[in-house]
Amino acid sequence: MEAGRTTAPSRPRAVATKYVYDFVEGSREMRELLGGKGANVAEMSRVLGPERVPAGFTITTEACVAYLAAGEEPEGLAEQVAEALDRLERSAGKRLGDPGDPLLVSVRSGARESMPGMLDTVLNLGLHDGCVDGLAAMSANQWFAWDSYRRLVQMFGNVVRGIPGDLYERELTAARSAAGVELDTDLPVQALRDLVDRFKAAFSQRTGEEFPQDPGEQLRQAIRAVFDSWSGDRAVQYRRINRIPDDWGTAVNVQRMVFGNRGQTSGSGVAFTRDEVTGAPRPSGDFLVNAQGEDVVSGVRNTREIDELRDLMPEVYAELMEILGILERHYRDMQDVEFTIEDGRLYMLQTRSAKRPAQAAVRFAVDAVREGLLGRDEALLTIDAASLDALLHPTFDPAAEYRVLARGVAASPGAAKGTIVFSAPDAVAAAEEGRDVVLVRPFTEADDVAGFAAARGILTSEGGKASHAALVARGMGRPCVCGASELAIDLSARSMTAGDTVLREGDPIAINGTTGDITVDDVALVEPEMGDEFATVLAWADELRRLGVRTNADTPDDARRARQFGAEGIGLCRTEHMFFNPERDALVKRMFLSAEGWRRLRADAQQAADDERPDAQRRFDQADAAFWRELSELQALQRADFESILEAMDGRPVTIRLLDPPLHEFLPVEHFRAEVERLEQEGGDDRLETARRELALVESLSEANPMLGTRGARLGILYPPIYEMQVRAILEAAIATARGGDPPRVEIMLPLIAYETELRLLREFMVRVAEETMEAAGERVEYSVGTMIELPRACLVAARIAHYADFFSFGTNDLTQTALGFSRDDIEARILARYIDRKILDRSPFETIDEPGVGALVRLAARSGREARPDLKLGICGEHGGDPDSIEFFERVGLDYVSCSPYRVPVARVAAAQAAVRAA
Ligand code: ADP
Ligand code: MG
Ligand code: MG
């Protein structure tokens, strides 16, 4: 750009931005601008009438954003506030700071989403030395006036000027003991006056300024403080955890005060339209007599159950109950309200949709439909699908108190306790003895999987939500806490330390995979039940959803469990997981070794054939025969595996993926090296020779980047007999199952296809093997052949690939990994946390699909695949298949089904229904 040519930007001044809205102008639709509290206070005064809701106005979130960007109030704000205040004063018939009859206001924060306790609020603003007496005279209540002033000086100092709260609490405690009373409400007026003096002194000592006597100045400072509280540490952390964007800002609500501290016919409280823990259709809540709202939440006094209000103030109670009903019907959701009673008159100060645990959410949805409040579709939308997970796992007793030893990533929900073991074999041994153990490892690997099944829970010090430990644990429904980096685990010493606590093998430990908490205290666990209401919700979800829900299951156990949870088929059966088994381990290692031996022998034979030597054919035959000797045993095992899985699924579709291991997981160099060293110690013999040969072979196979090396289809192209063995086993199992009952529906799936030519080659080969197998058996079964779509190239050439595929299954874990160049195992703990911190990302792309990037690839492949082949079946089998936000996306791109781990199946059913309702 040529600097000289541009004219200086002129200030946009024509239309002044409207920063202030009176409550009467607002409504619930305006929560982005007015914040949730402001929008709902406005809505409430429409619904309940202005006499129920004290008047006031809201300063917009835009004003806050502008203030935070510029470091000062945006132009026009001060004037608009003054005008709104003037209107408020006129409607109230009182003026701020008026010595005879002062108007007092509250200054309340309120963001678009509620951030309880994170932002600031100041009450009783407007009082100063010159008007306390006026307030006392008007109310004929000295105590009330001085209690209000005491509260203002205290809250203002604390909230607006950051003076630590315990300084005030210490003064209050001293005042109570000096007066010989237990409660603030019993303090004599003189004590309150003294407290005001002391609080003011503390104020000037701490801030170097006098406590502001000008109400206008109080208001300005309080508004700024609320704006500033948006950037406070507490609020920033809360937003991080709850994924609330930093750029929303908070609104500020200025509202005429009503007083719960005017004596025995006054009070303040909170209430839920239904029981906030169980969801039972009975309001719950707490209140205090002669108190302002802050006292109820701050715990300075013991609150009373809302039921007691019925006896104390029957009319107020009846009104409150009626209002709760009105609000719930109006908002069509369970509400959580705040109220104040001033001299027997009930005022409503806040309402919002109640946060609730999964059981309450389910109960509400079912009751709301039964009561005719909501339709099924609406009722389903009131449930946070992701939270339903909690209903399927044991949890820490909510009433239990315990000390948190350390915290990690909440990687797989549910709670577990047991004694510590540091290795998978120890876990297995313990399980055989019937002991409950928690498997503790720095991280886990393929070899540890048997330990997952044996342990109650898994705890690691490294890795995140997409680490091996997390994935396997979720798949198996084992609670898991990952990446607890405060733990220093010493495997050789069989101990770990957290701070100065040392724990050894056999010591008790408890983990909560829902929260990430780790404790050594003996916390009680409570078992979940899949109650009738949950079953009802799931049945509705099944009626409303379009997407099919399948499961990822590698064992008959998984398959059966998933069916109980309502899985309609298996979307991913990973055959390599059947090999992760100590007994099969040796067989599998031999298979891979002889595969490589076979490849070399075949190459020699080929050379012989090229040289037209007469022994060429014999060499080919010998190579094949040697390899098949190794393979046939595995083929029999696999056939049995597949048979029991097909039986468990009873005629439902089962997608079996051919082997896709990174080779190093099965051929770890260290294992072979250790064997050589061991045999060397014992003194060499033939076995040492073999071990050395094997080590050399394994070393020659080791890859710099195994995840991008000899995997998936590449393995099948390099060593066709392995896939041939698997296809035979699958077809034989299908034939055997068909004899017994419903014809199975097997779908053979090829992993890691990039080129249409790979798929063509393998498909031809597999169809040939299948035909041969069926011919040999003299029976036919239906089967289809499809492919994983998990490489960007496959997405880009999906039309060509579709030519050779009956179905696509998006493997979004690998697709995310390869599209982003993120190594799942390395990125999670080290990079992602930092990225989220720096706001480069707001969540892990392995948790919720990266819609603009990876999602675009999925969309493209789905569309062009279907164009090339309209009957192409489309599914997704990555971890995203159990994530509600991702499921919503898969609904929009028109996939046929999602597949997720067994325990996520109910979540996916509900999320799929919600997605369908939203799409409609
Ligand atoms: P939070 O978001 O932390 O709940 P609020 O702005 O809701 O903060 O204020 C906390 C409490 O202060 C309310 O529950 C209510 O009891 C009291 N309060 C706020 N505004 C008023 C008011 N205008 N009159 C009386 N009490 C109020
Ligand atoms: Mg509140
Ligand atoms: Mg994959």
Side-chain angles (χ1 to χ4, degrees):
M1 190 202 284
E2 290 167 68
R5 290 272 197 83
T6 54
T7 46
S10 60
R11 281 186 125 208
R13 59 202 331 277
V15 209
T17 314
K18 182 169 165 64
Y19 286 125
V20 178
Y21 289 76
D22 288 351
F23 289 168
V24 291
E25 298 176 280
S27 73
R28 66 193 282 197
E29 282 77 35
M30 296 168 73
R31 65 184 303 144
E32 288 188 16
L33 192 62
L34 304 182
K37 197 181 289 169
N40 284 328
V41 165
E43 182 81 9
M44 248 194 331
S45 49
R46 278 166 196 264
V47 177
L48 303 176
E51 52 305 324
R52 274 286 175 229
V53 184
F57 55 88
T58 304
I59 303 168
T60 63
T61 53
E62 276 174 15
C64 174
V65 171
Y67 165 87
L68 290 174
E72 61 179 9
E73 285 83 353
E75 203 180 298
L77 178 60
E79 292 78 4
Q80 292 184 40
V81 169
E83 286 159 19
L85 184 62
D86 193 55
R87 287 192 296 275
L88 180 61
E89 288 177 332
R90 263 182 288 144
S91 81
K94 299 168 192 267
R95 299 200 73 86
L96 205 64
D98 180 341
D101 183 11
L103 170 71
L104 304 191
V105 295
S106 65
V107 177
R108 317 170 64 187
S109 57
R112 201 187 296 185
E113 285 201 1
S114 106
M115 298 170 54
M118 295 301 126
L119 305 170
D120 291 337
T121 289
V122 181
L123 303 181
N124 307 314
L125 192 132
L127 274 175
H128 57 86
D129 294 350
C131 64
V132 189
D133 289 336
L135 185 65
M138 280 304 294
S139 59
N141 190 334
Q142 285 264 343
W143 186 90
F144 152 67
W146 284 100
D147 183 55
S148 300
Y149 197 24
R150 183 274 296 176
R151 289 170 185 269
L152 171 66
V153 185
Q154 176 174 349
M155 277 183 108
F156 194 92
N158 176 230
V159 165
V160 180
R161 306 305 295 266
I163 301 173
D166 50 359
L167 181 145
Y168 299 103
E169 290 308 326
R170 273 200 305 277
E171 293 284 5
L172 275 162
T173 310
R176 282 192 301 264
S177 64
V181 300
E182 271 181 27
L183 298 173
D184 293 348
T185 41
D186 295 331
L187 285 171
V189 172
Q190 188 53 50
L192 294 172
R193 302 179 86 120
D194 294 345
L195 278 170
V196 168
D197 286 342
R198 268 198 290 269
F199 288 178
K200 283 201 285 196
F203 187 93
S204 53
Q205 197 201 336
R206 291 280 180 144
T207 65
E209 292 166 28
E210 290 304 311
F211 176 78
Q213 292 294 318
D214 170 10
E217 180 58 24
Q218 291 176 3
L219 186 59
R220 262 186 305 281
Q221 289 193 23
I223 292 171
R224 273 181 169 244
V226 173
F227 283 159
D228 288 332
S229 70
W230 179 258
S231 329
D233 287 347
R234 263 186 315 173
V236 170
Q237 282 196 359
Y238 183 89
R239 288 201 292 275
R240 230 12 57 90
I241 294 167
N242 293 281
R243 294 181 182 151
I244 295 177
D246 283 333
D247 55 13
W248 281 0
T250 176
V252 185
N253 302 287
V254 178
Q255 186 177 28
R256 179 171 71 80
M257 279 297 295
V258 288
F259 301 100
N261 56 337
R262 280 184 68 165
Q264 294 309 305
T265 53
S266 300
S268 289
V270 298
F272 293 82
T273 55
R274 319 226 166 191
D275 188 288
E276 79 257 46
V277 177
T278 65
R282 179 171 43 79
S284 63
D286 300 305
F287 76 102
L288 281 172
V289 168
N290 195 15
Q292 289 197 337
E294 294 291 274
D295 307 349
V296 179
V297 276
S298 70
V300 292
R301 281 164 60 189
N302 289 329
T303 54
R304 303 165 73 161
E305 298 267 322
I306 203 77
D307 286 347
E308 293 178 49
L309 187 63
R310 183 186 354 217
D311 308 328
L312 276 176
M313 305 180 203
E315 275 164 36
V316 170
Y317 179 81
E319 280 171 0
L320 179 62
M321 292 301 118
E322 193 195 329
I323 286 172
L324 291 179
I326 293 172
L327 290 175
E328 200 182 80
R329 285 193 295 279
H330 180 73
Y331 281 95
R332 308 179 75 74
D333 197 7
M334 185 169 156
Q335 297 293 296
D336 157 1
V337 308
E338 296 175 4
F339 63 90
T340 279
I341 306 157
E342 178 178 325
D343 262 344
R345 272 184 62 90
L346 175 65
Y347 294 93
M348 301 307 293
L349 295 173
Q350 190 172 327
T351 189
R352 63 181 166 209
S353 283
K355 292 224 163 89
R356 65 207 98 158
Q359 51 176 351
V362 165
R363 173 86 194 252
F364 171 74
V366 173
D367 286 350
V369 171
R370 214 175 271 152
E371 293 163 16
L373 176 64
L374 301 179
R376 293 177 176 190
D377 45 355
E378 272 179 296
L380 273 180
L381 290 181
T382 63
I383 297 174
D384 171 12
S387 75
L388 293 174
D389 222 30
L391 295 180
L392 302 168
H393 298 285
T395 48
F396 279 7
D397 182 348
E401 282 180 19
Y402 56 90
R403 195 180 70 89
V404 175
L405 175 73
R407 252 192 208 109
V409 176
S412 176
K417 62 182 190 177
T419 54
I420 296 173
V421 291
F422 288 105
S423 78
D426 289 344
V428 173
E432 276 164 11
E433 292 165 24
R435 280 186 287 128
D436 290 341
V437 292
V438 173
L439 174 61
V440 180
R441 305 276 307 162
F443 54 90
T444 64
E445 297 171 292
D447 279 350
D448 298 320
V449 171
F452 281 64
R456 289 271 151 195
I458 290 83
L459 169 60
T460 71
S461 56
E462 295 170 25
K465 276 204 166 123
S467 62
H468 177 267
L471 289 180
V472 176
R474 279 204 292 280
M476 299 176 60
R478 288 286 181 278
C480 174
V481 174
C482 279
S485 49
E486 297 154 72
L487 303 180
I489 299 172
D490 183 344
L491 289 179
S492 54
R494 291 171 180 252
S495 72
M496 67 171 170
T497 50
D500 38 10
T501 307
V502 181
L503 295 172
R504 293 180 205 291
E505 189 174 75
D507 288 346
I509 193 162
I511 61 168
N512 187 344
T514 314
T515 60
D517 284 357
I518 303 160
T519 181
V520 292
D521 294 349
D522 187 19
V523 192
L525 302 188
V526 287
E527 278 300 322
E529 272 173 44
M530 177 127 127
D532 294 346
E533 278 134 6
F534 193 17
T536 305
V537 162
L538 288 170
W540 294 344
D542 292 346
E543 275 168 33
L544 290 166
R545 70 189 155 89
R546 182 193 63 79
L547 278 169
V549 177
R550 297 195 192 181
T551 191
N552 299 349
D554 308 327
T555 64
D557 271 355
D558 280 356
R560 274 187 289 272
R561 184 175 310 120
R563 273 204 55 195
Q564 282 166 11
F565 291 148
E568 297 161 314
I570 292 181
L572 176 64
C573 172
R574 287 162 292 201
T575 49
E576 63 277 10
H577 283 223
M578 299 171 173
F579 292 166
F580 292 154
N581 170 326
E583 291 141 42
R584 296 187 184 181
D585 191 55
L587 265 179
V588 174
K589 284 199 169 65
R590 282 217 319 268
M591 175 184 79
F592 282 112
L593 287 173
S594 50
E596 180 57 15
W598 173 84
R599 196 183 63 76
R600 293 177 185 198
L601 289 175
R602 292 279 301 197
D604 293 347
Q606 190 57 52
Q607 188 60 53
D610 292 349
D611 298 348
E612 297 182 13
R613 298 213 316 260
D615 62 344
Q617 188 55 45
R618 189 175 48 80
R619 282 168 175 255
F620 276 122
D621 293 346
Q622 276 176 350
D624 288 353
F627 194 13
W628 276 102
R629 272 196 297 281
E630 299 294 345
L631 287 173
S632 50
E633 202 172 333
L634 271 173
Q635 185 180 321
L637 290 170
Q638 288 249 279
R639 184 196 313 133
D641 291 337
F642 296 143
E643 240 185 275
S644 38
I645 289 183
L646 290 175
E647 262 163 27
M649 292 315 283
D650 230 352
R652 288 169 186 76
V654 175
T655 309
I656 300 174
R657 181 179 75 185
L658 300 188
L659 208 53
D660 175 26
L663 266 188
H664 70 295
E665 284 195 19
F666 287 100
L667 299 177
V669 176
E670 318 80 67
H671 169 90
F672 288 88
R673 190 169 296 136
E675 183 65 7
V676 167
E677 280 162 13
R678 194 179 63 80
L679 289 168
E680 278 170 353
Q681 301 260 310
E682 285 182 7
D685 60 4
D686 293 354
R687 281 183 303 151
L688 177 58
E689 268 318 296
T690 314
R692 283 199 176 129
R693 246 201 343 270
E694 287 180 353
L695 175 59
L697 198 62
V698 169
E699 276 172 343
S700 76
L701 286 177
S702 100
E703 296 175 314
N705 206 336
M707 292 306 277
L708 301 178
T710 312
R711 280 184 60 191
R714 302 163 200 171
L715 193 88
I717 286 171
L718 220 53
Y719 314 117
I722 296 182
Y723 276 12
E724 182 175 349
M725 174 276 281
Q726 290 201 292
V727 174
R728 281 193 199 169
I730 293 169
L731 267 294
E732 285 169 0
I735 290 167
T737 316
R739 284 186 197 128
D742 284 339
R745 288 160 60 195
V746 283
E747 304 172 337
I748 303 173
M749 179 157 75
L750 288 155
L752 221 72
I753 292 285
Y755 294 95
E756 61 280 15
T757 38
E758 287 171 308
L759 184 60
R760 192 189 65 214
L761 195 80
L762 286 169
R763 185 187 173 102
E764 279 167 7
F765 170 66
M766 282 159 38
V767 169
R768 204 187 67 228
V769 173
E771 291 300 324
E772 282 169 14
T773 312
M774 291 190 291
E775 220 158 277
E779 272 171 72
R780 295 198 65 82
V781 283
E782 291 296 315
Y783 70 96
S784 60
V785 177
T787 176
M788 300 274 289
I789 297 287
E790 51 187 340
L791 294 173
R793 187 183 195 277
C795 295
L796 299 173
V797 302
R800 299 179 188 202
I801 290 180
H803 202 64
Y804 306 104
D806 302 321
F807 61 88
F808 283 176
S809 177
F810 290 95
T812 52
N813 295 348
D814 266 312
L815 187 58
T816 300
Q817 184 156 250
T818 50
L820 296 170
F822 270 179
S823 153
R824 189 166 20 143
D825 298 321
D826 305 312
I827 286 281
E828 277 262 316
R830 289 171 56 79
I831 314 279
L832 279 186
R834 189 81 183 120
Y835 267 41
I836 289 168
D837 230 36
R838 301 291 308 272
K839 296 185 220 154
I840 297 168
L841 288 174
D842 72 343
R843 65 180 82 177
S844 163
F846 292 104
E847 208 175 310
T848 296
I849 193 159
D850 160 43
E851 197 178 318
V854 180
L857 287 169
V858 171
R859 190 190 300 269
L860 171 69
R863 204 177 38 216
S864 47
R866 277 253 170 83
E867 267 166 24
R869 180 166 189 162
D871 64 342
L872 185 71
K873 202 189 306 176
L874 297 173
I876 132 94
C877 63
E879 279 287 299
H880 300 111
D883 170 64
D885 291 342
S886 309
I887 290 172
E888 169 140 28
F889 169 74
F890 299 134
E891 165 73 31
R892 278 188 272 125
V893 293
L895 302 192
D896 294 308
Y897 68 86
V898 297
S899 185
C900 55
S901 62
Y903 283 91
R904 294 299 281 189
V905 166
V907 172
R909 287 161 73 191
V910 171
Q914 293 176 332
V917 171
R918 288 204 185 97

